[in-house]
Amino acid sequence: MVRRALAALAVFLAAGCAGLADTGAQSTVGSDGTGPITLAIGRDTTAYLRPLLDRWNQTHPDEPVSLLELPEAADEQRAQMVANLQAHNDVYDVLALDVMWTAEFADAGWIVPLDRSLFPLDKLLKGVADTAIYRDRLWAAPYTSNAGLLYYRSDILKKEHLKPPKTWAELRDQASRLSAKYHIGGYAGQFLPYEGLTVNFAEAVQSAGGSILSPDARKVTMDLGSARAALDFLVGGIKEGWIPREALTYKEEESRLAFQEGRLLFARNWPHAYGPAAHSKLAGKFSVARLPGLNGPGSSSLGGYNLAISAFSKRQKSALDFIRYFTGLDNERLVLTEGSFPPVWAELYDDPELIRRFPYLPALKEAIVSARPRPVTADYNQISLLISSAVSGALTLAKPVDETVADLKQGLGEVIQFGG
């Protein structure tokens, strides 16, 4: 089955490469064009944006920015962007790219490199700038960072005289006992087969002391022991019931709502889920911590969005000016205070006023700094599809854990070999 899938993948990639060979990536921002521009970004991140965009529009009446909302799911955002860029359409000027898309979009010639001297990269959180660099060139400006956190019902744990779990064994014990006692679900993450499941599995492997690919994605580094432990942790939760089966349909929004509505004791989610929960019936009844791991605190996948300029934009100067403004310190503060999204400027995480307002900032900073970036490769989307499909098969109990891990390692090796 793996070989048949990879054969189809080979045909797809060959067709894609043939179609992208003539994109003609520019060596620098090559257009001096100015005028109205469009920001393309997933709609799951847009609720707070319009007032921020209005601030730019009021001072740049000849270069107003319009918001173009893409689908909520990252996979669907990427698909819509790719279809547009493959057609060399100039409807997008500024692209909000998941940090994992930098290499793919740069390699394909869909975005243009930026002058590093125009951006204060040394003032950003450790590791954040690396997500925008590919082959020693800066291809985007970091806009938001991200790391997965463990959301937990602090009111219930306090009542039970418990601290938030630091290990999987503690999470399993608390989720099993307390979910039965309080008649709520134990734990959930993002377990629908899409990029979110790839992230959840990667975090589990990391938190068991392993990895999946080398940083340059040229070698499969996944050892069967850590991968098996990671998958056993998740599959065991489904079998034992402390991960409710409905969690297999969850993406970020579904898991956020399940926790916020009081249907879960623990949930893995990104920081943007904190703000809505703090203004819900859960206000004062929950908190966040680092993800647990096999033998101690775990490790998140590094997430976030970077802002890039479309190679086909006719208004690249306006796009560059907007990106410099929008990733500046003042606006980054608003990204946090108005949107509850993690900013990229390091100093904001140490601001006493912000910590009083957002008490999770110290835990978030620790989670981001200890997070690991996903492999930098133009073929990341294909790798992610392979991982999420394999892991989903195990979670739905359609395939044993040992067989899943062995087949996944073989499949990754063949993808890497083909991509190399």
Side-chain angles (χ1 to χ4, degrees), residues 201 222 386-387 390-391 403-413:
F201 177 67
M222 187 177 78
L386 182 61
I387 293 173
V391 175
E403 186 180 348
T404 297
V405 170
D407 286 352
L408 177 57
K409 185 168 185 176
Q410 177 186 342
L412 289 169

Side-chain angles (χ1 to χ4, degrees), residues 97-151:
L97 301 181
D98 185 289
V99 295
M100 281 318 306
W101 302 339
T102 301
E104 177 190 8
F105 280 54
D107 202 59
W110 296 333
I111 56 179
V112 297
L114 307 177
D115 183 347
R116 294 191 194 210
S117 68
L118 298 178
F119 299 92
L121 302 182
D122 60 328
K123 297 184 180 296
L124 308 186
L125 283 172
K126 178 184 177 183
V128 167
D130 293 342
T131 67
I133 295 172
Y134 177 61
R135 293 181 177 174
D136 296 324
R137 306 194 74 177
L138 181 70
W139 293 90
Y143 172 58
T144 62
S145 189
N146 234 349
L149 296 169
L150 180 71
Y151 287 72

Side-chain angles (χ1 to χ4, degrees), residues 108-419:
W110 296 333
I111 56 179
V112 297
L114 307 177
D115 183 347
R116 294 191 194 210
S117 68
L118 298 178
F119 299 92
L121 302 182
D122 60 328
K123 297 184 180 296
L124 308 186
L125 283 172
K126 178 184 177 183
V128 167
D130 293 342
T131 67
I133 295 172
Y134 177 61
R135 293 181 177 174
D136 296 324
R137 306 194 74 177
L138 181 70
W139 293 90
Y143 172 58
T144 62
S145 189
N146 234 349
L149 296 169
L150 180 71
Y151 287 72
Y152 65 92
R153 287 290 300 272
S154 56
D155 58 334
I156 293 178
L157 294 195
K158 182 178 181 180
K159 185 176 181 181
E160 297 291 329
H161 307 289
L162 293 170
K163 294 182 179 180
K166 292 183 178 180
T167 67
W168 290 343
E170 291 174 351
L171 174 61
R172 182 185 299 113
D173 175 67
Q174 293 182 16
S176 298
R177 291 190 298 106
L178 301 183
S179 63
K181 182 175 181 178
Y182 290 90
H183 306 291
I184 59 176
Y187 172 77
Q190 292 73 52
F191 300 143
L192 190 74
Y194 77 116
E195 167 66 7
L197 180 54
T198 297
V199 168
N200 277 245
F201 177 67
E203 290 175 338
V205 172
Q206 293 166 194
S207 298
S211 61
I212 297 176
L213 299 176
S214 60
D216 60 6
R218 294 180 180 178
K219 182 180 179 182
V220 178
T221 57
M222 187 177 78
D223 69 273
L224 298 182
S226 60
R228 189 182 298 113
L231 202 50
D232 274 335
F233 162 64
L234 297 173
V235 172
I238 295 292
K239 289 181 176 179
E240 296 163 14
W242 51 271
I243 295 180
R245 291 196 66 84
E246 56 263 33
L248 298 178
T249 67
Y250 286 178
K251 295 187 290 188
E252 283 84 356
E253 187 65 5
E254 289 83 359
S255 54
R256 179 186 72 81
L257 287 173
F259 182 79
Q260 183 177 316
E261 292 171 357
R263 292 185 278 124
L264 287 171
L265 180 64
F266 299 103
R268 180 263 177 225
N269 216 326
W270 302 104
H272 77 271
Y274 192 98
H279 292 89
S280 73
K281 65 180 183 180
L282 276 192
K285 300 178 181 180
F286 78 99
S287 190
V288 296
R290 281 182 61 180
L291 297 174
L294 179 60
N295 298 310
S299 169
S300 171
S301 290
L302 186 62
Y305 278 93
N306 298 330
L307 300 185
I309 299 175
S310 168
F312 312 110
S313 168
K314 293 183 172 64
R315 296 163 291 274
Q316 291 183 6
K317 185 179 185 303
S318 291
L320 177 62
D321 290 344
F322 170 75
I323 289 176
R324 293 185 65 193
Y325 161 81
F326 219 56
T327 57
L329 179 60
D330 290 344
N331 204 69
E332 283 286 303
R333 183 180 292 270
L334 294 174
V335 166
L336 172 62
T337 59
E338 303 303 317
S340 292
F341 286 94
V344 294
W345 284 68
E347 66 183 78
L348 295 176
Y349 289 82
D350 301 320
D351 185 313
E353 180 182 346
L354 291 177
I355 292 174
R356 281 194 294 271
R357 183 171 174 183
F358 302 96
Y360 62 89
L361 281 182
L364 175 56
K365 180 181 180 180
E366 185 178 353
I368 292 174
V369 172
S370 63
R372 296 191 198 172
R374 285 160 280 177
V376 178
T377 170
D379 296 328
Y380 179 80
N381 188 60
Q382 286 70 45
I383 289 170
S384 177
L385 288 172
L386 182 61
I387 293 173
S388 62
S389 177
V391 175
S392 178
L395 290 180
T396 56
L397 310 183
K399 196 171 184 177
V401 167
D402 286 353
E403 186 180 348
T404 297
V405 170
D407 286 352
L408 177 57
K409 185 168 185 176
Q410 177 186 342
L412 289 169
E414 294 180 12
V415 171
I416 295 300
Q417 183 179 15
F418 177 84

Side-chain angles (χ1 to χ4, degrees), residues 18-36:
L20 296 174
D22 61 351
T23 53
Q26 302 176 46
S27 59
T28 58
V29 174
S31 167
D32 291 330
T34 61

